[in-house]
Amino acid sequence: MESASFKLAKTYFSALERDCRQIPADPFASESKLGKKSEYYLLRFALMVARKAERKSFKRNWYHACYTKALVSAHRNGHADALTILTSIFDRQMASNGYLSHGVEQPFQVMGGYSLCYARETCPGTSRYDVPLTKLFDVVRNGPKTEGGGILYKAGTSEVYVDTIGMICPFLAYYARLTSDKSALKFCSDHILAFIARNIDAETHLPFHAYHDAGASRLGLHGWGRGTGWYILGLCDTAAELIDEGELKEVIIGEIRDVAHSLKRFQKPNGNWAIQIPVPEGPDDLSATAFCAYGLARAMQLGILDSSFSAVLDGAIAALAKDTDAHGKLRNSSAEAYGVGSYGLTRGIQPWGNGIAAAAVFESATLLDRQKR
């Protein structure tokens, strides 16, 4: 008999197949519906705001990178068709000059590079991805950094965000393994070690949202739910790509275990985590549950966590199942955080919730089924 987790995985894969057809060749493109005459009279700033409001959810590249990550997880866990879907997305995003057709200009926008690395390594005949992978790495190599080696979220800021651990580091580690580029691994190592040294609470081992480039300031919520998810997701996917059992991997494994113990400690009876994890009486955030479940499943697959975390993961997957509608959409994910101190408390169906929930279910289905036998 098919387990509940496998049934849930089927539901998510059907939704993923449907949704990924909507990912555009250029996620930054937007067509104005205002008309030429109106455009002429609108101020440049007002027009920019209007156009931004018209963009669909898939037209921001880290949104659809959450979906390509789900395709990687699906393929890694037995859904053979996922690789075809994944390569079709990247192929239609490639311009005639071999670059990606959309302009990746900021470090946080390289998140999709992790999935591109997977496609390059796994699918025969994808050497055409070498050029866009190099261009993505150049964005990080030439991008803004702190004196201590932290990678700034984007130019014009002085803050290092927890999101970057998940958005940037897995790509850097994977790229370093594929190309043997030691500089990529050094950027990854410097960023993670600086973040751990400056932005982790000593008692709970949970991250703050960000820290300042200069000074010792920690910013934003301590243990922000989705931020903690970005953190453990990034650490696990980075650890998976590290061949050398050196200091970086040892530190990362220790961090993953520390965060996992805090997730066990603060998990709600219903299997969820709150918008602020160490405040479990706060409202549920299904996006936090999805991201953290993904990290726990990956850590267990990698042998970093043992079976004592099975109940924690099982509870999180059950919570995702309860809040997944018949169309494979995850409800009650918190909205986008627009910066430190600006948290999207409105909850609903969000692309990052859908994508990472699917990835978490794919990663956990075989794992949990095997342990229950």
Side-chain angles (χ1 to χ4, degrees):
M1 180 178 292
E2 194 174 56
S3 69
S5 57
F6 271 105
K7 289 180 181 178
L8 184 61
K10 278 188 173 181
T11 299
Y12 270 114
F13 190 69
S14 295
L16 195 61
E17 287 184 300
R18 182 178 63 249
D19 291 346
C20 283
R21 288 195 291 269
Q22 301 175 40
I23 295 176
D26 181 356
F28 297 116
S30 61
E31 292 295 328
S32 175
K33 300 171 186 175
L34 298 171
K36 291 184 179 297
K37 188 174 182 180
S38 297
E39 285 187 9
Y40 179 79
Y41 290 106
L42 281 172
L43 292 172
R44 186 180 182 89
F45 176 75
L47 179 59
M48 178 188 71
V49 172
R51 283 181 167 169
K52 183 176 180 181
E54 289 173 354
R55 291 176 182 169
K56 303 299 182 185
S57 62
F58 272 113
K59 291 192 174 182
R60 298 188 65 171
N61 76 335
W62 74 265
Y63 291 10
H64 73 71
C66 292
Y67 280 77
T68 60
K69 179 177 279 291
L71 289 169
V72 170
S73 291
H75 186 261
R76 195 159 49 203
N77 291 280
H79 295 266
D81 293 346
L83 188 60
T84 302
I85 301 170
L86 183 65
T87 55
S88 71
I89 291 170
F90 288 128
D91 286 346
R92 72 174 178 261
Q93 289 183 343
M94 287 181 63
S96 57
N97 61 3
Y99 298 168
L100 293 177
S101 58
H102 54 83
V104 176
E105 299 174 350
Q106 304 289 357
F108 78 94
Q109 296 170 338
V110 305
M111 181 182 171
Y114 171 84
S115 305
L116 189 60
C117 283
Y118 184 87
R120 172 65 180 93
E121 182 176 43
T122 309
C123 188
T126 49
S127 58
R128 61 187 178 279
Y129 297 159
D130 289 348
V131 170
L133 280 171
T134 301
K135 299 299 288 185
L136 289 176
F137 176 55
D138 285 344
V139 171
V140 180
R141 174 166 42 199
N142 301 324
K145 299 175 185 67
T146 71
E147 289 186 7
I151 300 169
L152 295 173
Y153 189 75
K154 59 183 179 179
T157 68
S158 61
E159 298 161 351
V160 179
Y161 286 80
V162 68
D163 317 43
T164 57
I165 301 295
M167 291 176 167
I168 301 172
C169 294
F171 163 61
L172 289 177
Y174 208 152
Y175 182 83
R177 183 171 67 77
L178 277 184
T179 64
S180 300
D181 190 324
K182 293 182 180 179
S183 67
L185 186 58
K186 187 174 190 310
F187 288 135
C188 178
S189 178
D190 288 350
H191 183 58
I192 289 175
L193 295 178
F195 192 92
I196 291 171
R198 298 190 59 177
N199 212 41
I200 303 297
D201 178 70
E203 193 272 319
T204 65
H205 303 285
L206 297 176
F208 289 80
H209 190 161
Y211 69 86
H212 268 307
D213 180 5
S217 299
R218 293 171 170 178
L219 306 170
L221 283 181
H222 157 229
W224 170 43
R226 192 162 64 246
T228 300
W230 278 119
Y231 187 56
I232 192 169
L233 173 154
L235 293 179
C236 288
D237 281 342
T238 299
E241 303 306 325
L242 297 177
I243 300 171
D244 181 14
E245 299 285 339
E247 177 190 1
L248 176 62
K249 191 163 188 176
E250 184 178 332
V251 170
I252 287 176
I253 287 172
E255 281 294 302
I256 291 169
R257 288 173 176 160
D258 285 341
V259 175
H261 281 289
S262 284
L263 291 177
K264 180 188 284 190
R265 172 184 171 188
F266 293 117
Q267 187 177 33
K268 296 186 172 199
N270 65 4
N272 280 304
W273 285 279
I275 286 177
Q276 186 174 10
I277 283 175
V279 187
E281 60 270 23
D284 295 348
D285 179 3
L286 269 293
S287 72
T289 300
F291 277 66
C292 292
Y294 176 90
L296 291 172
R298 285 288 277 152
M300 291 175 71
Q301 286 181 343
L302 295 169
I304 296 171
L305 299 179
D306 59 26
S307 59
S308 67
F309 286 90
S310 295
V312 181
L313 179 58
D314 205 2
I317 297 300
L320 294 177
K322 186 177 180 180
D323 249 316
T324 298
D325 68 19
H327 304 290
K329 302 292 188 182
L330 183 68
R331 300 180 291 255
N332 291 316
S333 290
S334 65
E336 187 171 4
Y338 287 99
V340 173
S342 176
Y343 299 96
L345 300 181
T346 301
R347 286 167 293 157
I349 295 172
Q350 310 288 2
W352 49 90
N354 291 337
I356 303 302
V361 169
F362 298 140
E363 298 290 355
S364 64
T366 306
L367 183 70
L368 290 173
D369 188 65
R370 185 170 64 241
Q371 292 180 345
K372 288 176 180 179
R373 289 179 179 176

